[in-house]
Every structure is written in structure tokens, then in C-alpha cells.
Amino acid sequence: MTGTAPAPFTADDYRARMARAAQAAADAGLAGLLVAPGPDMVWLTGYTPTAVTERLTLLVLAPGRDPVLVVPTLEAPDAAGAVGAPALTLRDWTDGKNPYAVTADLLDTSGRFGISDNAWAMHLLGLQRTLPGTSYASLTEALPMLRAVKDPAELRLLAAAGAAADQAFEEIRKVAFAGRRESEVGADLAELLRRFGHSQVDFTIVGSGPNGANPHHEMGDRVIERGDMVVLDFGGLKDGYGSDTTRTVHVGEPTDEERRVHDIVREAQEAGFRAVRPGVACQEVDRAARAVIAEAGYGEYFIHRTGHGIGVTTHEPPYMIEGEEQPLVPGMCFSVEPGIYLPGRFGVRIEDIVTVTGDGGRRLNDTTREMVLVD
Ligand code: ZN
Ligand code: ZN
Ligand code: ZN
């Protein structure tokens, strides 16, 4: 993410988001929200400081009050240029002043506030020292669904990011795999994501052979061999919105077992996708995918949740995981990415971003889910 806000949004869009966030805070019993630079601030205001420094920058949202951005004086001109700036008041503070006293003027002296998870501890401690009657909660824990439901413009951006990632896959399947290092294929993937419009590459996982059985393996020096399964999981940000897709390819002809395991994962991914519709709990998506793998006898080898939300970041709520009872709502976007990981041998994962529609789900990735054979 660079300093530029996604173009499709206007000051009115940000005004509406900030009003919705303030209302959600009130509904959650909070006196307000304190938002540090990061994904929530980008989503609420379109503003990303050029550099995050130790100087306090904080968006203060409280029900019934106008939003205020507390900002260092030297950053104020930049903040005033953000698309959302007309929807808020800037309150700048100059070096030598106490920024917590400036912020305290905007807060209830005895309120409970939601604060960004990525706010610096020194800032939270400064606020607590200045306003000993206040208390604080994790903004993400208090309002996990704040950014979960995407509006039509956000959906278009997520679909465009997904299409760009798909273009990258269509190109990477043509390159040579056998005899090259995972890191070289990963560099190709990163270059392709940028070529197709990504401004930021968050991950390019290339897990060949036994490395594919470790879902956290990124990529390394292993030379890919004929006969390897290769898990390719890649994504990043394009125009401020995320992509994240996985396909598992095979170098040359696969064995019957490799085909069978890939088929099971493909059916599990399809079952997870088909479970998506409004009102269904997130955990039902996980259960639907997991049931296919368990019935095929590989349950113990599916060792992670089925999916995660995506938006202005590539990992965020809602999570498709056992125990998550949050109902799906049209406009939510998340991954469906079951896998089977056979230690020391190979792994298979298939991942699409899916959005909830009025009566089901729609995939934002659409390359083939059949096993692709590469050279
Ligand atoms: Zn093989
Ligand atoms: Zn992924
Ligand atoms: Zn993912």
C-alpha cells in the first residue's frame, strides 16, 4: 500500500464508513474508537502516513461527534490531501506539545475505547497516564466485522485483484519448473503479480515435493524435480485490495495417489464453496470442506482452518473455522482453501477467494482447479 487511496472512493464514502464505525462502537458499548495508521485507517479515511514514526497519529471516532484526526503538524499537509480529509477535522500537534493531552480533550474521561491492534504500546500507555479513568479494548476483537462486508466498488477491486492473480497463474504454468530453485519460480511469480497491476506482493509460496507438506513453507533453495507436486500460493495488493490464490501443479505425469489426493482436495474446495450462502455460519464452510477430506480418510492431514477474510489486507476476519458462528452476509469476501499435507512427501492446496451473493457464493478466482501439469 502506498500513500495513494483507492480512486473509486469519495469523501462521502469515507464519511459513511466513519459514521458506521462510530455507531458500531456505540452498539458494542464503547465510547469511541481510536484508530492508528494501518488497514483500519486506510479503510476509514483513505489516509496512509508516508512514514509511521513515533509521533502520534490517531483517528478519534465517537458516536454523535465529528471525526477528528490527531496528526503531527509536519504531517498535516499530507493528511489534508487524503480523499477522506473533507469528512474529518484535523487536530495537529507540534513537537514539544503533549499529544496525549491533545487527544484527551476529545475523549470521555471515563469511557471504554476500542483501539487498533497495531497502535504502539507507548501511545496507549500515554493515553492511560493522561486519562486514568479510561479503559481500552482491542478494536478487532470488539468489532471483528467492521470491514467484512464489502460495498460494490470494493467488490470490483477485489475481483480485479483476483483476475490479476489468475493472469499470473496462467503465465507461471508455462515456465520451466524442473531444474530450477523454488526461489526462482517465486521471483517469477512476484514479477508476474506486479506486471498484472499489483503494487505490493505479500507472499509467493512455492512448496515443491516434501516442502509442499509444510503449509508455512514459503520458498527456498530446493531444486524442483520431475515428479514433484508444487504448491503455488501467491497474492498481494492491487489498487489497495488483496488477492490470494493457490493452485497445486505437478511436474510431468503424476502417480495415481497424487491424482487421488488432488481430486479429494478439489472436491473439498468445491464443497466449501457450495456451502457459501447468506445466513450460514462461517464454521459450516469449514465443516463442508473438512467432511470431504475426512470421509476420504485424510482428515488428520488437513491441519489448518478453511479460510480467512480479505479486503485492504490479505488476512482478516471473518475466519472459516470451527467455532465461528458469525453468519455469512452478502458482500463478505474470504478464501476457501482446504489442503492435504503428507509429511515428508507432498502437499496439495486449492484456494479461491469467494464472495457471498444474495443466494450463494461467487468465486473471484477462476483458473482451472484440475491438476495442471508443468514442465
Ligand atoms: Zn509426483
Ligand atoms: Zn493463499
Ligand atoms: Zn489464503
Side-chain angles (χ1 to χ4, degrees), residues 74-134:
L74 77 174
E75 301 284 348
D78 199 31
V83 178
L88 50 77
T89 302
L90 289 184
R91 184 73 56 90
D92 68 312
W93 63 275
T94 314
D95 285 351
K97 268 199 152 185
N98 179 347
Y100 310 116
V102 173
T103 307
D105 283 346
L106 306 165
L107 306 181
D108 281 349
T109 54
S110 61
R112 183 168 178 77
F113 296 89
I115 186 163
S116 297
D117 292 3
N118 61 316
W120 289 22
M122 67 179 266
H123 295 321
L124 178 55
L125 292 169
L127 287 167
Q128 284 176 323
R129 201 164 53 234
T130 310
L131 288 174
T134 54

Side-chain angles (χ1 to χ4, degrees), residues 277-329:
R277 64 182 173 278
V280 165
C282 290
Q283 66 182 357
E284 295 299 337
V285 177
D286 183 82
R287 287 175 182 174
R290 201 167 297 280
V292 171
I293 291 174
E295 278 160 26
Y298 288 91
E300 67 187 287
Y301 302 109
F302 178 15
I303 52 180
H304 55 73
R305 67 192 175 208
T306 293
H308 56 82
I310 190 167
V312 296
T313 74
T314 46
H315 280 96
E316 61 188 42
Y319 295 102
M320 303 302 119
I321 189 170
E322 180 66 34
E324 179 52 84
E325 293 174 356
Q326 167 68 40
L328 297 179
V329 175

Side-chain angles (χ1 to χ4, degrees), residues 49 71 78 111 129 141 162 172 202 218 236 238-239 243 246 291 297 363:
V71 65
D78 199 31
R129 201 164 53 234
E141 277 178 29
I172 202 71
D202 285 2
E218 281 258 333
K238 176 182 186 294
D239 297 325
S243 68
T246 308
R363 286 182 159 106

Side-chain angles (χ1 to χ4, degrees), residues 202-262:
D202 285 2
F203 44 86
T204 52
I205 294 174
V206 180
S208 66
N211 287 342
N214 172 9
H216 281 157
H217 175 80
E218 281 258 333
M219 55 187 168
D221 288 339
R222 185 176 182 279
V223 176
I224 300 168
E225 298 168 14
R226 188 150 291 276
D228 281 351
M229 284 280 215
V230 186
V231 177
L232 301 170
D233 183 349
F234 48 97
L237 295 183
K238 176 182 186 294
D239 297 325
Y241 279 77
S243 68
D244 184 5
T245 186
T246 308
R247 292 294 184 264
T248 303
V249 300
H250 190 272
V251 188
E253 272 303 313
T255 64
D256 287 349
E257 183 195 24
E258 286 168 332
R259 273 206 187 281
R260 189 168 70 249
V261 170
H262 192 277

